[in-house]
């Protein structure tokens, strides 16, 4: 039996304050952040707490620190691979469809022994688990099952998961340093057949996505689609494979 999950430490509050500012545009790429002293005063925390938060944000590539000058929001160079990380809402909109979703599950949990290796972490790591059914013109198009490190997006469950596109929100927290997609066509299981309203013999297209920030896997996403109504494409320039 797992021990109760403790409340987020104070340095996570400082990190969330800064990442929220970046996500909402209060702190734009390249902008100078408040000094340590200003953050101590604004958030009523210790200098040690602020320093740890800034160290971790720097480690994850969210900010850059210049000794004797201050901390700045990191600037992200264009990355062709990132253009393939897209939200289902955008795909549906481009096709002229109407998007609707139903949140099936949203909770804080811990990694079990089966998923821990995919996060390159030990079992017990705190993560958020989300399950969402996305529909196009009221027809099921995607089952999204997503696991996100709780220390990467600590306020995730406070967001309106029905209204908020999740992919751009997560990308705004930090630049992705590495991306992996694994695609397979398979026979659907019972839940996929029922929720996606698949016909007899219709395959399911499954996509597993992992994203890294720095050297940490921060998200593991499992997407299931009707094989007859969805396709995955990859477009690369020769320079991407050089």
């Amino acid at each position: 039996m797992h021990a109760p999950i403790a409340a987020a430490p104070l340095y996570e509050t400082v990190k969330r304050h800064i990442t929220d500012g970046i996500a909402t545009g209060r702190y734009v790429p390249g902008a100078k952040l408040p000094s340590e002293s200003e953050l101590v005063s604004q958030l009523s925390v210790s200098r040690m707490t602020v320093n740890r938060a800034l160290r971790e944000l720097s480690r994850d590539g969210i900010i850059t620190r210049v000794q004797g000058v201050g901390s700045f929001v990191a600037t992200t160079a264009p990355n062709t691979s990132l253009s393939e990380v897209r939200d289902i809402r955008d795909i549906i909109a481009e096709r002229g469809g109407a998007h609707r979703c139903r949140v099936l599950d949203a909770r804080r949990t811990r990694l079990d022994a089966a998923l821990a290796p995919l996060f390159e972490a030990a079992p017990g790591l705190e993560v958020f688990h989300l399950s969402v059914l996305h529909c196009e013109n009221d027809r099921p198009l995607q089952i999204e099952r997503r696991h996100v490190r709780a220390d990467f997006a600590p306020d995730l469950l406070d967001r309106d998961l029905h209204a908020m596109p999740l992919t751009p929100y997560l990308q705004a927290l930090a630049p992705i340093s590495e991306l992996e997609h694994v695609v397979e066509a398979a026979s659907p299981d019972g839940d996929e057949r029922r929720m996606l309203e698949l016909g007899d013999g219709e395959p399911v297209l499954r996509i597993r996505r992992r994203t890294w920030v720095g050297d940490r896997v921060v998200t593991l996403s499992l997407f299931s689609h009707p094989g007859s109504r969805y396709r995955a494409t990859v477009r690369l320039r020769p320079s991407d494979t050089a």
Side-chain angles (χ1 to χ4, degrees):
M1 182 175 179
H2 292 310
I5 296 176
L10 284 176
Y11 68 84
E12 291 291 354
T13 301
V14 180
K15 290 170 64 176
R16 184 166 65 249
H17 171 78
I18 293 172
T19 56
D20 275 353
I22 295 171
T24 59
R26 186 166 74 250
Y27 304 134
V28 299
K32 187 176 182 180
L33 295 169
S35 67
E36 289 191 16
S37 297
E38 289 171 329
L39 290 171
V40 166
S41 176
Q42 290 174 15
L43 303 176
S44 300
V45 296
S46 70
R47 184 177 290 272
M48 183 180 299
T49 296
V50 169
N51 188 266
R52 175 166 179 178
L54 294 177
R55 286 202 319 268
E56 293 199 0
L57 291 171
S58 178
R59 174 200 66 191
D60 291 342
I62 299 171
I63 68 172
T64 57
R65 305 178 76 188
V66 181
Q67 188 173 3
V69 179
S71 299
F72 300 81
V73 180
T75 55
T76 308
N79 187 321
T80 302
S81 295
L82 291 184
S83 68
E84 301 298 328
V85 179
R86 307 186 61 208
D87 193 86
I88 189 67
R89 300 165 195 256
D90 295 332
I91 295 172
I92 290 173
E94 285 183 1
R95 289 159 37 149
H99 172 268
R100 177 176 61 84
C101 73
R102 177 159 56 99
V103 178
L104 308 174
D105 189 17
R107 55 192 164 89
R108 182 188 289 254
T109 185
R110 294 183 186 270
L111 286 181
D112 59 22
L115 290 181
L118 291 171
F119 266 89
E120 301 174 357
L125 177 72
E126 292 181 27
V127 295
F128 294 121
H129 173 257
L130 307 176
S131 292
V132 183
L133 178 65
H134 297 275
C135 298
E136 179 180 25
N137 300 327
D138 290 325
R139 194 176 185 189
L141 185 65
Q142 183 190 82
I143 303 170
E144 173 186 4
R145 300 181 181 95
R146 198 184 293 248
H147 298 79
V148 181
R149 286 184 67 120
D151 59 2
F152 175 65
D155 65 340
L156 180 58
L157 296 187
D158 297 332
R159 306 282 168 162
D160 183 350
L161 299 176
H162 292 88
M164 178 191 67
L166 191 55
T167 297
Y169 162 69
L170 292 173
Q171 290 182 358
L173 294 179
I176 296 172
S177 56
E178 190 172 348
L179 167 70
E180 175 190 77
H181 277 137
V182 177
V183 182
E184 67 171 357
S187 298
D189 60 27
D191 287 342
E192 290 169 329
R193 184 179 301 281
R194 175 178 55 82
M195 287 193 287
L196 293 175
E197 300 176 3
L198 301 178
D200 291 340
E202 185 175 359
V204 65
L205 181 68
R206 295 180 184 143
I207 300 175
R208 188 189 79 195
R209 176 194 299 159
R210 291 195 295 168
T211 60
W212 282 256
V213 169
D215 59 358
R216 299 187 306 163
V217 177
V218 294
T219 69
L220 167 66
S221 307
L222 307 170
F223 305 105
S224 298
H225 311 85
S228 63
R229 289 186 281 119
Y230 196 90
R231 65 181 181 180
T233 63
V234 176
R235 180 176 177 175
L236 297 173
R237 296 186 180 95
S239 58
D240 297 329
T241 57

